[in-house]
């Protein structure tokens, strides 16, 4: 039946209270932390408690919002398929929009991930933000997705971490001020969907190999970030529907997987699938739980919080069939690195990947989450695992109540969103197909500079020597043959230490990718135990660390008795957060750092993370390899990546006996036995009950009760940004680019790590100069990530990566560029400011995959503040392109087969991009002509992909658009 036949035009809808807002049972701020005396405590509720009505304050926001748009939006035209979900034994779970009631055979062939988009469109259909035509586009996905059609999507919630959460809350606070100045109601700037913010990005590995490392690192974390944390605590009070999980609780994606993920919402008796967008690209980890989630820029997330539908291109879906089972000794990390390489080769940017097949039954939920986590590394929007019996078992293990799990299963079965592999499977239609026999996966690592450069362990020694020989690049260091075997001896705390090319100086069990997976974490413990029993230990000059993604990991490592062996090998717990995976690896010992820099050693890091881009993990580790936690321990024992595990020993006992890799490597059966006896449901329940109580340092933070933030002009952490300066109610309209200078000329694979300020603040950088001028001592610089709430620091740190390669510098590596008019070589920020002060536009030239990596809004905000008007690239990463649009920067793509080199562009030209002055004359994806002052002319595709993006551009960005819209309403 076509949807037109069931559309009604009723005047009353049973979902009128939930069309525009998703509320939830919230952990109240009074449970989460002890408020200062100026704050009124709110009612105590648990996320796991039964659904409750929203607070009166949220209700008033909903009613106000609905009154304002009631003149434009009719009631839901799909009322006739709104039905009851009965509870076995009597009563009902709630009501829901039934996809089977549409009686449309096309739905049965839809991928499960697309069905979630469909349900959202139906539930939110109001003939205004979402129309029946949008619903029809999704139902007809098989025909419409190849045409790149646009659809609106309203996620159920938003997920933030503190690095991206601080600027998001800064922007919300700044938007409230802008609303005030323009005569609007500042309280309209308020999240209309649930927002969860987990503080996990600030802890650094300052102290390692110590029993008191956790407390010592947390003390330093609070000392450095007191102002940021107080600001976030203010935000949790000032804004409704916002939950802040304090520092020391875990990594955002693991907390989301083990606790925050609902799978199915029950809001005021209305049932619907959980879905989430997050300001961290690894939000995709929740896809392993059957929750549709992916990373967006902070700019998009803020608009979603404020009730704006996300405009997205209806994606193609790659079906990935899994068969067989993993061989003995092969880990989920080996699997995800294999999948990442396959999908990178296949090409999945902008697509969903949906996993299916009989091999699914061989993968635990944690294994699935590991694969889903690395979606950004293989380039997909999502790596989705539909809900099945494995999912339900995991929900029970992690403390979700039996009644909740029963409701989830009943709803998903009733709405054809549950996979039951005991029943015949109807064939789904996918855009393309891939297949992997799990039995073909072999132990491997990835590196030395990219996550998808997989190397089987057996080939590692040969690959390493190839990297030493090869010219500088993703797989090369260009070390002369005569220098490759150089050995450097140096004193290390009373003993003699040695380093050579490939020597490990960092070994980190880190990152939600792997610390959420008990099999690899306990596997690491077993490797440590076997090594201890055989009498070999990790060399003391290797900086070892263990940073679990939640307190649950500590409990099962202790329950198993394996933590003491990890401690003995130097892998003491250093904190509960992202640490080394995001560059918070802390300083190396001064003697080790000096040995590396004085002798130009290509030192290595091995970590169980998801990113290893150059300059990310540590400035002094040029080679960085991703590996499973047990392999991290094995390589730490060996002390080098220059080893053949099959032929060379990883250590020697005191009596001279050689110990080999096979001697310490646990079997799959050994690991499974420990998992079975050590990972208990009560551990999850007690851990997450404790989270709601905060910690003493957090609870002591005192914050004001005002709804408007009092900006401190002297603060170097929180600064009022200039985005809305001189803003009026009239949109500025589209802008072209006239006689622009090229600020930077890049090659391929420039990541957001290259663009966005990240890691430590270099002592000679413009950001360091700014901080020193304001009395900040160098030891208190903290990281760029911690200062994302200060636009002055971040603008100075944009394009400041020490490994950035700018063609204008003719081979020199580093954060400088050429001021074309004078030929001077200066920092990128200083050159940008010269152009800006002289009134000159600037552009950036780039190659393929520009903006790949983490979804960092500062990778778009920073260039905008530096005066960049357009980026011309061969291709863009999905989130980064969207963020550029959100900040008013024009993304342009060279035509196929063309780039700056083939067109003979050096970056010394001046560029003009002509755009119509009327927004209605600009079309998504249209061709535009770019001309240069030396007579060149070429055609590019303008990468405004939807009409909504053009509207944002017309308004000067997404946030000004939201403010003007809210004032008009």
């Amino acid at each position: 039946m076509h949807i037109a036949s069931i559309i009604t035009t009723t005047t009353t809808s049973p979902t009128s209270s939930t069309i525009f807002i998703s509320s939830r049972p919230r952990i109240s701020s009074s449970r989460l932390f002890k408020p200062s005396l100026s704050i009124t405590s709110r009612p105590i509720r648990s996320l796991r408690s039964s659904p409750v009505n929203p607070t009166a304050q949220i209700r008033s926001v909903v009613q106000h919002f609905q009154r304002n748009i009631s003149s434009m939006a009719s009631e839901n035209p799909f009322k006739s398929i709104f039905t009851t979900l009965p509870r076995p034994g009597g009563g009902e779970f709630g009501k829901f929009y039934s996809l089977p009631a549409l009686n449309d055979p096309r739905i049965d062939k839809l991928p499960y991930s697309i069905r979630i988009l469909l349900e959202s469109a139906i539930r939110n259909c109001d003939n205004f933000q979402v129309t029946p035509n949008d619903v029809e586009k999704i139902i007809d996905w098989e025909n419409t997705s190849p045409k790149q059609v646009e659809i609106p999507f309203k996620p159920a919630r938003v997920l933030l971490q503190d690095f991206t959460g601080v600027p998001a809350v800064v922007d919300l606070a700044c938007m409230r001020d802008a609303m005030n100045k323009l005569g609007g109601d500042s309280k309209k700037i308020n999240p209309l969907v649930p927002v969860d913010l987990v503080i996990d990005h600030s802890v650094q590995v300052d102290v390692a190999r110590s029993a008191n490392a956790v407390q010592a690192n947390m003390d330093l974390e609070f000392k450095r970030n007191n102002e940021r944390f107080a600001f976030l605590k203010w935000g949790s009070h000032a804004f409704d529907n916002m939950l802040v999980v304090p520092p020391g609780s875990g990594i955002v994606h693991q907390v989301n997987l083990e606790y925050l993920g609902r799978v199915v919402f029950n809001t005021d008796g209305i049932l619907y699938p959980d879905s989430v967008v997050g300001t961290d690209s690894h939000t995709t980890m929740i896809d392993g739980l059957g929750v549709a989630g992916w990373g967006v820029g902070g700019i998009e997330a803020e608009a979603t919080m404020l009730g704006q539908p996300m405009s997205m291109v209806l994606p193609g879906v790659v079906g990935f069939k899994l068969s067989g089972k993993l061989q003995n000794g092969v880990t989920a990390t080996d699997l995800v690195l294999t999948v990442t390489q396959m999908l990178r080769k296949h090409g999945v940017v902008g697509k969903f990947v949906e996993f299916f097949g009989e091999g699914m039954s061989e993968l635990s939920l944690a294994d699935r989450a590991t694969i889903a986590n690395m979606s950004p590394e293989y380039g997909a929007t999502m790596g989705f695992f539909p809900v099945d019996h494995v999912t339900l078992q995991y929900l029970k293990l992690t403390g979700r109540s039996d009644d909740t799990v029963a409701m989830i299963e009943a709803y998903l079965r009733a709405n054809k969103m549950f996979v039951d592999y005991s029943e015949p499977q109807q064939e789904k239609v996918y855009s393309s197909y891939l297949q992997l026999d799990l039995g073909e996966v072999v132990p491997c690592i990835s590196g030395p500079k990219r996550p998808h450069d997989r190397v089987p362990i057996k080939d590692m020694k040969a690959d390493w020597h190839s990297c030493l020989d090869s010219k500088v690049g993703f797989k090369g260091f260009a070390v002369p043959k005569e220098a490759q075997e150089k050995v450097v001896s140096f004193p290390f705390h009373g003993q003699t230490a040695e380093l050579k090319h490939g020597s490990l100086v960092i070994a980190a069990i880190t990152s939600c990718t792997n610390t959420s997976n008990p099999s690899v974490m306990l596997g690491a413990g077993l490797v440590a135990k076997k090594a201890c029993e055989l009498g070999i230990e990790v060399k003391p000059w290797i900086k070892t660390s263990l940073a679990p993604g939640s307190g649950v990991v500590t409990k099962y490592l202790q329950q198993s008795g394996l933590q003491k062996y990890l401690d003995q090998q130097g892998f003491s717990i250093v904190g509960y957060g992202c640490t080394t995976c995001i560059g918070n690896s802390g300083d190396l010992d001064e003697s080790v750092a000096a040995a590396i820099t004085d002798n130009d050693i290509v030192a290595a890091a091995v970590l169980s993370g998801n990113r290893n881009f150059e300059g990310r993990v540590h400035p002094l580790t040029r080679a960085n390899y991703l590996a499973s936690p047990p392999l991290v321990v094995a390589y730490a024992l060996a002390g080098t990546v220059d080893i053949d595990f099959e032929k060379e020993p990883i250590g020697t006992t005191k009596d001279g006996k050689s110990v080999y890799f096979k001697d310490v490597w646990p079997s799959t059966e050994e690991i499974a036995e420990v998992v079975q006896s050590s990972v208990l449901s009560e551990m999850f329940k007690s851990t997450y009950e404790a989270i709601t109580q905060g910690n003493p340092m957090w609870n002591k933070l005192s914050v004001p009760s005002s709804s408007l933030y009092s900006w401190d002009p002297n603060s170097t952490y929180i600064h009022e940004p200039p985005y809305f300066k001189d803003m009026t109610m009239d949109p500025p309209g589209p802008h072209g680019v006239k006689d622009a200078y090229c600020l930077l000329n890049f090659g391929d694979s420039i990541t957001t790590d290259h663009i966005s300020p990240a890691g430590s603040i270099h002592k000679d950088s413009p950001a360091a100069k700014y901080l020193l001028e304001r009395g900040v001592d160098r030891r208190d610089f903290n990281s760029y990530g911690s200062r994302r709430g200060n636009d002055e620091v971040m603008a100075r740190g944009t394009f400041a990566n020490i490994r950035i390669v700018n063609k204008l510098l003719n081979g020199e590596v580093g954060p400088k560029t050429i001021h074309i008019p004078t030929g001077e070589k200066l920092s990128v920020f200083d050159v940008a400011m010269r152009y800006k002060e002289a009134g000159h536009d600037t552009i950036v030239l780039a190659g393929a995959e520009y903006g790949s990596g983490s979804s960092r809004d500062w990778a778009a905000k920073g260039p905008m503040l530096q005066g960049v008007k357009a980026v011309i690239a061969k291709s863009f990463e999905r989130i980064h392109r969207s963020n550029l649009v959100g900040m008013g920067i024009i993304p342009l793509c060279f035509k196929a087969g063309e780039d700056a080199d083939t067109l003979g562009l050096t970056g010394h030209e001046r560029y003009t991009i002509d755009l119509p002055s009327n927004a209605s004359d600009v079309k998504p994806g249209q061709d535009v002509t770019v001309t240069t002052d030396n007579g060149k002319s070429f055609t590019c595709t303008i990468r405004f992909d939807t009409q909504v993006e053009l509207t944002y551009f017309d308004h000067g960005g997404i946030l000004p658009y939201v403010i003007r819209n809210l004032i008009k309403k």
Side-chain angles (χ1 to χ4, degrees):
M1 184 186 299
H2 195 276
I3 66 166
S5 63
I6 59 93
I7 292 176
T8 60
T9 54
T10 57
T11 56
T12 304
S13 168
T15 61
S16 59
S17 65
T18 58
I19 291 176
F20 306 111
I21 177 170
S22 300
S23 62
R24 57 150 178 197
R26 60 177 282 169
I27 298 178
S28 91
S29 36
S30 61
R31 278 285 296 272
L32 195 59
F33 49 77
K34 183 180 178 182
S36 63
L37 294 178
S38 59
I39 301 294
T40 303
S41 297
R42 293 171 181 162
I44 297 175
R45 291 286 179 184
S46 166
L47 273 178
R48 299 266 167 79
S49 64
S50 300
V52 296
N53 292 327
T55 63
Q57 189 172 9
I58 292 180
R59 232 182 238 296
S60 69
V61 173
V62 178
Q63 292 164 355
H64 179 70
F65 186 68
Q66 290 175 330
R67 281 196 301 271
N68 280 333
I69 69 168
S70 61
S71 60
M72 297 175 282
S74 66
E75 301 297 347
N76 196 309
F78 290 91
K79 178 190 174 183
S80 65
I81 63 168
F82 189 70
T83 188
T84 297
L85 181 66
R87 182 190 295 270
E92 63 178 58
F93 284 117
K95 293 182 169 56
F96 71 106
Y97 285 91
S98 169
L99 302 187
L102 287 170
N103 292 319
D104 194 319
R106 293 174 296 177
I107 295 174
D108 293 332
K109 292 186 176 181
L110 288 179
Y112 289 96
S113 50
I114 298 299
R115 297 182 195 192
I116 292 175
L117 301 183
L118 174 60
E119 188 282 337
S120 175
I122 289 172
R123 176 168 37 86
N124 290 293
C125 189
D126 61 352
N127 287 315
F128 176 55
Q129 290 184 325
V130 185
T131 69
N133 187 47
D134 296 319
V135 174
E136 171 59 24
K137 286 178 188 175
I138 301 172
I139 291 177
D140 201 32
W141 169 85
E142 186 177 355
N143 297 311
T144 54
S145 65
K147 300 174 184 175
Q148 298 284 290
V149 300
E150 171 193 353
I151 61 161
F153 176 55
K154 301 191 80 172
R157 58 190 174 98
V158 173
L159 186 70
L160 308 172
Q161 36 92 336
D162 55 304
F163 271 18
T164 52
V166 167
V169 179
V170 164
D171 288 352
L172 290 174
C174 191
M175 289 172 76
R176 279 193 170 178
D177 290 343
M179 286 283 281
N180 257 5
K181 291 172 186 174
L182 291 172
D185 178 5
S186 63
K187 288 188 178 178
K188 283 186 179 180
I189 304 297
N190 227 11
L192 293 178
V193 297
V195 177
D196 300 309
L197 192 158
V198 180
I199 300 175
D200 66 351
H201 272 52
S202 298
V203 63
Q204 300 186 42
V205 188
D206 294 293
V207 179
R209 288 179 170 259
S210 168
N212 73 331
V214 173
Q215 188 58 51
N217 288 325
M218 184 175 281
D219 288 344
L220 288 166
E221 178 185 10
F222 269 83
K223 180 181 176 183
R224 291 179 180 127
N225 300 285
N226 190 278
E227 188 179 348
R228 294 173 61 245
F229 292 170
F231 175 69
L232 290 175
K233 192 171 178 181
W234 167 82
S236 70
H237 289 285
F239 298 103
D240 291 315
N241 227 12
M242 181 180 288
L243 165 70
V244 176
V245 177
S249 302
I251 303 176
V252 58
H253 306 306
Q254 191 161 340
V255 174
N256 193 26
L257 184 75
E258 296 175 351
Y259 183 51
L260 296 172
R262 281 75 155 176
V263 185
V264 173
F265 265 85
N266 187 341
T267 301
D268 290 344
I270 311 300
L271 307 175
Y272 53 95
D274 186 4
S275 58
V276 59
V277 291
T279 55
D280 187 283
S281 52
H282 294 101
T283 300
T284 52
M285 187 170 191
I286 200 68
D287 302 341
L289 195 67
V291 174
W294 59 86
V296 296
I299 305 150
E300 287 178 297
E302 290 161 33
T304 301
M305 290 181 213
L306 295 168
Q308 299 298 307
M310 280 180 53
S311 179
M312 61 183 289
V313 172
L314 186 62
V317 182
V318 177
F320 199 121
K321 186 176 183 179
L322 298 171
S323 60
K325 64 182 294 185
L326 294 174
Q327 297 180 57
N328 183 38
V330 175
T331 68
T333 316
D334 302 322
L335 171 58
V336 72
L337 295 178
T338 304
V339 168
T340 297
Q341 187 181 47
M342 289 178 66
L343 287 169
R344 267 286 172 190
K345 184 177 180 181
H346 186 74
V348 293
V349 172
K351 297 181 173 67
F352 291 173
V353 175
E354 187 166 295
F355 294 89
F356 69 101
E358 62 271 21
M360 292 279 280
S361 62
E362 298 295 330
L363 294 182
S364 70
L365 195 291
D367 292 347
R368 299 175 184 190
T370 298
I371 295 170
N373 178 285
M374 287 190 71
S375 294
E377 282 66 50
Y378 44 82
T381 303
M382 279 207 303
F384 189 74
F385 290 81
V387 176
D388 61 10
H389 285 105
V390 173
T391 319
L392 301 180
Q393 290 165 7
Y394 181 82
L395 291 171
K396 290 180 179 179
L397 170 68
T398 50
R400 277 79 165 189
S401 70
D402 290 344
D403 189 64
T404 297
V405 175
M407 179 269 292
I408 290 169
E409 180 177 7
Y411 168 79
L412 294 175
R413 283 186 181 276
N415 230 5
K416 292 192 174 181
M417 294 180 178
F418 186 86
V419 183
D420 189 335
Y421 287 104
S422 67
E423 299 174 354
Q425 298 298 301
Q426 179 164 349
E427 186 174 341
K428 305 293 180 293
V429 174
Y430 294 108
S431 307
S432 60
Y433 294 82
L434 279 175
Q435 183 167 348
L436 174 65
D437 180 348
L438 298 175
E440 295 175 358
V441 178
V442 297
C444 56
I445 61 177
S446 281
K449 302 181 185 182
R450 295 189 300 186
H452 53 282
D453 289 333
R454 184 180 68 92
V455 186
I457 295 300
K458 63 182 178 62
D459 300 332
M460 183 57 202
K461 190 176 182 72
D463 191 83
W464 173 250
H465 283 274
S466 172
C467 288
L468 291 180
D469 290 335
S470 300
K471 67 179 183 179
V472 174
F474 297 122
K475 294 286 289 185
F477 298 104
V479 176
K481 280 283 188 187
E482 63 274 14
Q484 290 184 10
E485 298 303 320
K486 174 173 62 177
V487 178
V488 176
S489 296
F490 61 97
F492 178 85
H493 300 282
Q495 59 182 296
T496 300
E498 288 186 349
L499 289 181
K500 58 181 289 190
H501 298 302
S503 290
L504 257 69
V505 293
I506 291 176
I509 300 175
T510 177
S511 173
C512 52
T513 306
N514 285 292
T515 68
S516 60
N517 195 325
S519 64
V520 292
M521 295 301 288
L522 290 165
L526 287 169
V527 172
K529 179 175 185 284
K530 289 170 183 279
C532 289
E533 291 171 345
L534 289 167
I536 60 170
E537 290 188 357
V538 177
K539 293 178 175 62
W541 54 86
I542 298 174
K543 187 168 187 178
T544 45
S545 61
L546 166 58
S550 82
V552 177
V553 179
T554 302
K555 289 179 178 177
Y556 64 63
L557 284 173
Q558 290 173 340
Q559 170 78 16
S560 65
L562 294 175
Q563 182 62 56
K564 64 182 179 184
Y565 299 109
L566 287 164
D567 290 340
Q568 192 173 328
Q569 296 294 349
F571 289 94
S572 299
I573 295 175
V574 295
Y576 297 88
C578 300
T579 62
T580 305
C581 185
I582 60 165
N584 287 359
S585 47
D587 292 334
L588 294 176
D589 186 273
E590 289 182 3
S591 64
V592 175
I596 294 169
T597 54
D598 294 348
N599 298 281
D600 197 24
I601 293 292
V602 181
V606 177
L607 64 153
S608 62
N610 46 45
R611 294 276 165 83
N612 57 342
F613 301 127
E614 195 169 11
R616 177 186 177 96
V617 174
H618 192 283
L620 297 181
T621 57
R622 280 191 270 168
N624 301 281
Y625 287 92
L626 305 181
S628 66
L631 273 177
V632 171
V633 180
Y635 273 105
L637 289 163
T640 180
V641 295
D642 184 8
I643 185 171
D644 183 338
F645 277 152
E646 291 184 1
K647 299 176 181 176
E648 299 175 76
I650 61 171
T652 306
T653 63
K654 289 178 180 177
D655 58 5
K657 182 182 177 184
S658 293
V659 176
Y660 289 85
F661 176 79
K662 62 182 175 57
D663 298 326
V664 300
W665 198 252
S667 68
T668 301
E669 186 177 351
E670 282 179 274
I671 294 172
E673 287 176 1
V674 180
V675 171
Q676 182 67 31
S677 62
S678 305
V679 184
L680 310 174
S681 181
E682 184 53 41
M683 294 175 177
F684 293 90
K685 292 176 183 175
S686 60
T687 296
Y688 288 106
E689 284 171 2
I691 274 185
T692 66
Q693 298 163 14
N695 60 62
M697 300 178 77
W698 175 263
N699 293 342
K700 287 177 184 175
L701 290 175
S702 179
V703 296
S705 58
S706 58
S707 62
L708 294 176
Y709 189 67
S710 299
W711 305 97
D712 177 1
N714 298 316
S715 171
T716 57
Y717 277 103
I718 308 296
H719 183 264
E720 183 176 11
Y723 309 137
F724 311 114
K725 188 179 179 182
D726 303 324
M727 177 181 166
T728 67
M729 284 301 295
D730 298 320
H735 65 79
V737 177
K738 179 71 172 174
D739 289 331
Y741 285 102
C742 177
L743 182 63
L744 295 146
N745 183 4
F746 292 131
D748 294 342
S749 296
I750 290 295
T751 71
T752 51
D753 283 328
H754 291 117
I755 306 166
S756 176
S760 59
I761 298 173
H762 193 272
K763 62 183 176 64
D764 298 322
S765 66
K769 181 181 177 184
Y770 170 87
L771 292 171
L772 289 169
E773 287 173 350
R774 281 150 186 80
V776 179
D777 192 87
R778 185 186 166 196
R779 67 173 180 270
D780 296 322
F781 278 1
N782 211 334
S783 64
Y784 277 115
S786 68
R787 294 189 182 272
R788 284 188 182 184
N790 187 309
D791 58 283
E792 297 280 4
V793 173
M794 299 303 280
R796 285 164 173 77
T798 299
F799 298 118
N801 187 297
I802 61 171
R803 301 293 180 193
I804 202 165
V805 179
N806 172 17
K807 293 180 183 178
L808 291 176
L809 297 180
N810 296 319
E812 182 181 337
V813 177
K816 294 185 182 295
T817 193
I818 301 298
H819 183 247
I820 303 298
T822 63
E824 290 180 83
K825 181 172 68 175
L826 302 166
S827 73
V828 176
F829 175 78
D830 289 339
V831 171
M833 290 306 100
R834 279 203 188 181
Y835 287 135
K836 204 170 182 182
E837 288 160 8
H840 297 310
D841 290 345
T842 55
I843 60 108
V844 171
L845 295 176
E849 298 179 342
Y850 182 75
S852 57
S854 299
S855 56
R856 293 199 171 124
D857 54 339
W858 273 111
K861 289 177 176 176
M864 184 275 287
L865 291 173
Q866 288 188 354
V868 173
K869 301 299 181 185
V871 178
I872 309 174
K874 287 175 71 174
S875 63
F876 291 91
E877 193 276 335
R878 175 185 65 86
I879 301 173
H880 183 62
R881 184 205 60 79
S882 173
N883 280 351
L884 290 175
V885 174
M887 292 312 297
I889 295 176
I890 306 168
L892 295 166
C893 275
F894 291 108
K895 287 297 182 181
E898 294 183 348
D899 58 23
D901 292 339
T902 63
L903 293 168
L905 304 173
T906 65
H908 288 264
E909 309 84 356
R910 298 185 72 174
Y911 296 78
T912 296
I913 303 166
D914 285 322
L915 286 181
S917 58
N918 193 325
S920 61
D921 295 330
V922 186
K923 305 299 178 190
Q926 78 175 48
D927 286 346
V928 297
T929 301
V930 182
T931 57
T932 67
D933 62 337
N934 62 353
K936 292 185 184 293
S937 177
F938 55 97
T939 303
C940 289
T941 301
I942 195 165
R943 287 297 310 277
F944 298 128
D945 289 357
T946 66
Q947 200 61 47
V948 171
E949 288 187 343
L950 279 171
T951 303
Y952 296 157
F953 183 60
D954 183 44
H955 278 260
I958 190 170
L959 299 183
Y961 165 78
V962 169
I963 290 173
R964 291 187 182 103
N965 258 21
L966 288 174
I967 290 175
K968 285 178 182 176
K969 289 176 182 176

